[in-house]
Amino acid sequence: GENNSRMFFKENEIYKGVYEMPFGMFTIHINSERVDVERGNNNAHFVAEYTMELEGVVASHNKIELDVKRKI
């Protein structure tokens, strides 16, 4: 379904925000345990490992890994 949220990652910091759903809003805390960014001339690699809390309860442990390449 559709939802709106923002998550910011900075190593060893907690982002506090709101997670909007069609049926209501929840407070969300993102505890960034690891954040790595490697940049090249035509690409970038991003890794974030974090714990997500909803309404003060640990909801999940997550890892995002992205590879971005410039279109030539």
Side-chain angles (χ1 to χ4, degrees):
E2 182 179 325
N3 62 48
N4 296 309
S5 66
R6 287 184 179 206
M7 298 189 316
F8 296 91
F9 301 98
K10 189 171 182 181
E11 196 162 284
N12 299 316
E13 289 197 11
I14 297 174
Y15 165 74
K16 298 176 183 178
V18 176
Y19 192 74
E20 295 181 46
M21 302 290 287
F23 50 84
M25 296 187 331
F26 301 94
T27 59
I28 184 173
H29 291 177
I30 303 295
N31 181 3
S32 300
E33 294 142 5
R34 175 180 166 224
V35 177
D36 285 327
V37 179
E38 297 175 16
R39 294 184 182 119
N41 289 333
N42 294 312
N43 64 343
H45 182 77
F46 170 80
V47 178
E49 294 182 28
Y50 63 97
T51 300
M52 179 187 298
E53 293 181 13
L54 293 173
E55 295 295 323
V57 177
V58 173
S60 62
H61 300 282
N62 306 282
K63 179 178 180 180
I64 294 176
E65 193 162 350
L66 300 171
D67 285 305
V68 180
K69 296 179 182 172
R70 180 179 296 187
K71 188 175 180 178
I72 298 176

